[in-house]
Amino acid sequence: MTATLELQGVSMSFGGLKAVDNLSFAVNENEIVSIIGPNGSGKTTTFNVISGLYEPDSGEILLKGESVAGLRPDQVHDKGISRTFQSLRLFSNMSVLENVLVGMHAVTDAGVLSSMLRLPSVRREEKAMREKAQEILGMFPGRFSGPRQQQPAYSLSYANRRRLEIARALASDPTLLMLDEPVAGMNPMESREVMEQIKVLRDRGHTILMIEHDMHVVEGVSDRVIAMDHGVKIAEGSYHDVANDPQVVEAYLGKRAAEATA
Amino acid sequence: MSLDHIVTVTVGGLTVGMIYALIALGYTMVYGVLKFINFAHGEVFTIGGYTAAFTLLALGVNDAMSPIVMAGCILLALLAAVIAPMTVGFLIERIAYRPLRGRSRIIPLLSAIGVSIVMQQLIILVFGPTPVSMPALALGSASFSLGGIRIRVLAVVIIVVSALLMIGLTYLVRSTRIGKAMRATSQDMEAAEMMGIDTNKTIAFTFIVGSALAGIGGLLVVMYYGSLKYDAGFLYGLKAFTSAVLGGIGNIPGAVVGALVLGMTETYGVSLDLGFLAWFVLAGLVLGLYIQMVRVPGRRLQHIAEDRRTPEYEKSVKNVYRLAPYFAVKTLLAERTDALLSVSAEHAVRLMCGNAFLAASAAAMFVFGDVRIDTRWQPVIAFVVLMVILMFRPSGILGEAITEKV
Ligand SMILES: Nc1ncnc2c1ncn2[C@@H]1O[C@H](COP(=O)(O)OP(=O)(O)O)[C@@H](O)[C@H]1O
Ligand SMILES: [Mg+2]
């Protein structure tokens, strides 16, 4: 079986800095894989390369066996990779509902003229989109109910903005969902809630690649964990194997501390 | 000065304002997505006017034609005045702007000025250096009478057509799929791309729509005034750009409001006696004083941090605005003041200068009550209005469409 996502020797540097260095890993269908690693270890850059924001210097990125390296971000999205952002990037002047609808842009095709004339086909599509958006927003019970959906995204609380990013990314029914630190800045109760929602997503058949610092969440949802440091993959395996890997401990705590705990 | 005259002038002002609005929308939409001013947009307007006039000339339109044939000819001219500018606008973006996207801001700006110069020469090359003239049609000078006041049919056509186009544009941007893509692109281009929006297509579409509106503006102008010069786009473009800034650059309803304000002041300014206009300035002064004395200080007070809020402190903030000459200057000259007070003082001085200017203008205008300003001064009036309004509202009447940063 081909993996949903496979990276083969992907490298990406900025000037002299190798942000991602010869990185290879795979994510299988209906699996949740977490990437951990200290700040600046190249996790977000890995996402950006997969999303098509940067073209990798070398290496291959395969989605279900098909290369997506070098495609434009919107083309990568069309192929089935959707994501959220570490630093929230909602369309903050647009309403909650509109944000989700923008996420569906690629899977709809109302043309300009038919939209302006409000042809029946367009109305049908709009209705279907709205219903689907409602359904996705409904995955976060009580968070985006009724009038909230018409509010601009900037008026939402921080945690709700994070939730809305996930909803927007889900709108296109992606083959692979990438979450960049989905619980960053949330309190423990909110993190737990998001963790449960990620589990629900797996039960619904989604395949997820996630960057996360919160070890409870990583432990709670991951089928597999990948640890990075200085752009290099330093460990891969089950949560417990990776968390106890001496190289990982060293990356997080520094060499001396790692020796002291050993 | 009769009521008839005032109504006639008002219709004239609205007509000019609507034309400015049609062009201003292109400036403001492009600014919305790319954060840069497409200086070649004025020439796109000229091309619309030229192709319309040349189409009508080529078709040999004349009053002997049956109304249906004539309507068909005008429709063809309209089509030409939409397609040619659309194509030009699309090509300009593709050739002169897209390759430079992502460079420092000054570079696309220079390119835009260059394109504007090149376009003017191309217009001369293609259409010749003499102004193009419309075939003389009865429609051009037709008018009807409303309660004894004569109103040109074309003025009404311009106002109605422009208003319909603006309603259509609003619907396009608010409710359609491509409109959502435009708004998403203007707020965060990279995020929009990663959400599956082809931003290149969206930007090209923005240019096409803006150019079509400017082209229709060109058609309406050449029909209304009967002729158009190859460099007409410069002044119209400048006025439209001013309108866009006046209303808040990047803000679509703002462009329309700014254009109407500009069109009205310009037309009123050179058509009515100063003594009459002085009342408007006086009304502006009342509004300006309200802003300085009530509105702005009220808002400032909300910015005071809870732990510093004392009645004395609130009073000193209010005083800076209300007794501006004394307290504001005193605050500015003082060795050490806190940030809120000194920012407020600078702001207050700016507002006060604006109000003083309005008061002085009103007084002077009452003194020279029966004078009328020469038409040549129209651009000066536009400039003065822009400066005064921006003094009170630096981000334009309706505010810039800046993304709320949170
Ligand atoms: N666009 C960029 N230009 C230059 N350097 C970058 C850019 N993006 C990331 N980097 C650098 O690449 C390294 C990895 O960053 P990042 O992938 O954001 O780390 P992480 O997400 O693991 O915290 C950092 O040193 C960062 O400064
Ligand atoms: Mg990161």
Side-chain angles (χ1 to χ4, degrees):
Chain A
M1 196 186 72
T2 46
T4 298
L5 177 77
E6 188 173 357
L7 267 65
Q8 299 172 343
V10 171
S11 295
M12 175 76 218
S13 49
F14 298 108
L17 175 84
K18 271 217 156 172
V20 177
D21 193 354
N22 197 19
L23 182 67
S24 303
F25 66 85
V27 183
N28 295 313
E29 194 175 331
N30 206 5
E31 202 182 15
I32 298 186
V33 174
S34 295
I35 304 180
I36 62 168
N39 278 328
S41 56
K43 306 181 298 294
T44 297
T45 305
T46 304
F47 269 27
N48 286 341
V49 171
I50 298 173
S51 308
L53 196 59
Y54 309 129
E55 192 175 337
D57 300 333
S58 60
E60 191 50 276
I61 302 168
L62 303 170
L63 183 71
K64 297 212 150 172
E66 193 188 342
S67 173
V68 295
L71 294 183
R72 290 197 314 260
D74 57 293
Q75 293 170 325
V76 173
H77 184 272
D78 286 359
K79 296 275 179 200
I81 299 180
S82 195
R83 67 174 291 185
T84 66
F85 300 91
Q86 178 179 354
S87 51
L88 289 162
R89 291 177 85 167
L90 289 168
F91 305 116
S92 41
N93 280 348
M94 297 171 80
S95 73
V96 167
L97 189 66
E98 281 177 334
N99 268 277
V100 181
L101 293 176
V102 169
M104 288 180 199
H105 185 87
V107 292
T108 52
D109 58 3
V112 179
L113 270 182
S114 47
S115 301
M116 288 303 284
L117 299 174
R118 294 201 59 70
L119 295 183
S121 64
V122 171
R123 276 192 242 178
R124 240 175 291 134
E125 185 182 279
E126 272 178 17
K127 191 159 168 277
M129 280 169 74
R130 263 163 213 283
E131 278 165 9
K132 182 150 177 243
Q134 305 281 357
E135 186 197 317
I136 292 169
L137 289 171
M139 286 180 55
F140 303 89
R143 302 297 182 186
F144 303 113
S145 45
R148 273 249 180 101
Q149 295 183 0
Q150 306 306 329
Q151 282 176 9
Y154 69 76
S155 70
L156 295 177
S157 73
Y158 179 78
N160 275 346
R161 273 183 263 148
R162 284 228 170 266
R163 293 185 183 103
L164 181 56
E165 276 224 341
I166 298 178
R168 183 179 65 174
L170 282 171
S172 56
D173 269 333
T175 315
L176 175 74
L177 176 64
M178 302 201 295
L179 305 174
D180 195 346
E181 305 200 15
V183 305
M186 288 189 177
N187 66 37
M189 236 172 60
E190 292 165 336
S191 306
R192 176 178 294 272
E193 193 188 316
V194 170
M195 188 164 98
E196 294 308 319
Q197 267 144 1
I198 293 175
K199 285 182 187 163
V200 170
L201 291 178
R202 177 180 34 209
D203 295 343
R204 294 189 177 194
H206 284 281
T207 309
I208 297 173
L209 178 64
M210 174 176 89
I211 296 172
E212 192 43 72
H213 278 301
D214 185 323
M215 286 305 164
H216 286 294
V217 176
V218 174
E219 184 178 9
V221 303
S222 314
D223 297 308
R224 212 145 36 84
V225 177
I226 292 166
M228 287 179 73
D229 191 24
H230 297 296
V232 181
K233 181 170 86 175
I234 55 172
E236 177 172 356
S238 73
Y239 172 79
H240 283 281
D241 292 350
V242 171
N244 295 315
D245 186 295
Q247 254 188 299
V248 176
V249 177
E250 186 188 312
Y252 271 95
L253 301 176
K255 203 171 175 70
R256 284 233 189 90
E259 277 163 4
T261 55
Chain B
M1 217 170 37
S2 63
L3 181 67
D4 289 18
H5 182 59
I6 294 173
V7 173
T8 312
V9 171
T10 306
V11 173
L14 271 179
T15 312
V16 182
M18 283 303 210
I19 297 286
Y20 290 164
L22 283 181
I23 311 170
L25 287 167
Y27 280 105
T28 229
M29 284 195 296
V30 165
Y31 186 88
V33 287
L34 291 179
K35 305 288 172 282
F36 108 108
I37 301 298
N38 172 18
F39 276 110
H41 192 57
E43 273 60 50
V44 172
F45 154 86
T46 315
I47 289 175
Y50 265 73
T51 41
F54 270 87
T55 309
L56 290 175
L57 288 170
L59 292 170
V61 174
N62 60 66
D63 282 328
M65 281 176 161
S66 82
I68 296 181
V69 177
M70 190 187 282
C73 288
I74 292 178
L75 215 60
L76 274 179
L78 176 69
L79 217 59
V82 169
I83 291 173
M86 268 184 172
T87 315
V88 170
F90 173 80
L91 290 177
I92 291 176
E93 192 273 330
R94 192 72 191 77
I95 297 168
Y97 302 154
R98 195 184 295 183
L100 300 174
R101 212 184 290 155
R103 306 291 173 82
S104 87
R105 276 204 192 189
I106 195 84
I107 292 174
L109 204 68
L110 278 175
S111 179
I113 295 171
V115 170
S116 166
I117 296 170
V118 171
M119 294 294 301
Q120 249 186 46
Q121 295 311 313
L122 282 180
I123 293 171
I124 296 178
L125 204 68
V126 175
F127 298 107
T130 47
V132 61
S133 289
M134 278 281 291
L137 296 176
L139 175 68
S141 49
S143 64
F144 62 94
S145 151
L146 193 80
I149 302 165
R150 296 225 67 81
I151 294 174
R152 273 180 76 181
V153 172
L154 276 180
V156 178
V157 169
I158 289 178
I159 294 170
V160 171
V161 168
S162 310
L164 289 177
L165 287 171
M166 284 157 206
I167 293 170
L169 181 72
T170 309
Y171 176 74
L172 178 84
V173 173
R174 284 242 177 108
S175 307
T176 65
R177 175 171 175 268
I178 184 83
K180 290 194 191 79
M182 283 167 76
R183 281 184 291 149
T185 304
S186 80
Q187 287 184 39
D188 187 336
M189 199 182 294
E190 271 182 11
E193 264 169 34
M194 284 186 267
M195 289 302 124
I197 292 169
D198 184 342
T199 49
N200 278 336
K201 240 191 216 166
T202 310
I203 291 166
F205 181 76
T206 307
F207 272 86
I208 286 176
V209 172
S211 303
L213 293 175
I216 297 175
L219 165 98
L220 295 173
V221 163
V222 83
M223 286 185 70
Y224 190 71
Y225 293 106
S227 75
L228 199 67
K229 241 180 106 192
Y230 66 87
D231 62 356
F234 175 71
L235 204 55
Y236 272 95
L238 202 63
K239 300 267 181 73
F241 168 54
T242 307
S243 307
V245 174
L246 199 57
I249 187 85
N251 184 328
I252 288 181
V256 178
V257 171
L260 289 177
V261 168
L262 190 67
M264 292 301 289
T265 34
E266 237 185 37
T267 313
Y268 268 30
V270 297
S271 314
L272 303 175
D273 297 344
L274 285 183
F276 182 77
L277 293 174
W279 291 104
F280 287 94
V281 179
L282 212 55
L285 178 62
V286 171
L287 187 68
L289 285 173
Y290 168 77
I291 291 174
Q292 182 191 336
M293 301 292 178
V294 183
R295 212 177 119 95
V296 174
R299 290 208 168 167
R300 278 280 184 230
L301 290 184
Q302 292 168 2
H303 285 235
I304 303 175
E306 275 313 317
D307 53 330
R308 310 197 42 198
R309 191 182 293 275
T310 58
E312 296 88 73
Y313 189 67
E314 288 193 356
K315 187 151 185 266
S316 60
V317 172
K318 274 191 226 163
N319 279 343
V320 163
Y321 282 101
R322 303 220 168 131
L323 306 160
Y326 179 67
F327 277 101
V329 173
K330 190 174 133 192
T331 307
L332 286 178
L333 292 181
E335 289 259 324
R336 287 193 52 201
T337 45
D338 72 70
L340 186 73
L341 266 186
S342 60
V343 169
S344 301
E346 273 172 44
H347 191 193
V349 169
R350 193 154 48 85
L351 294 180
M352 189 187 64
C353 290
N355 281 324
F357 176 79
L358 287 179
S361 310
M365 286 160 88
F366 277 123
V367 171
F368 300 100
D370 48 4
V371 175
R372 240 175 237 185
I373 302 176
D374 190 275
T375 324
R376 274 177 316 170
W377 284 75
Q378 234 175 19
V380 178
I381 297 174
F383 180 69
V384 172
V385 169
L386 179 77
M387 293 323 283
V388 171
I389 289 186
L390 293 188
M391 208 174 258
F392 287 101
R393 270 188 78 87
S395 60
I397 300 173
L398 295 192
E400 290 176 23
I402 291 177
T403 318
E404 307 274 340
K405 287 280 180 241
V406 270

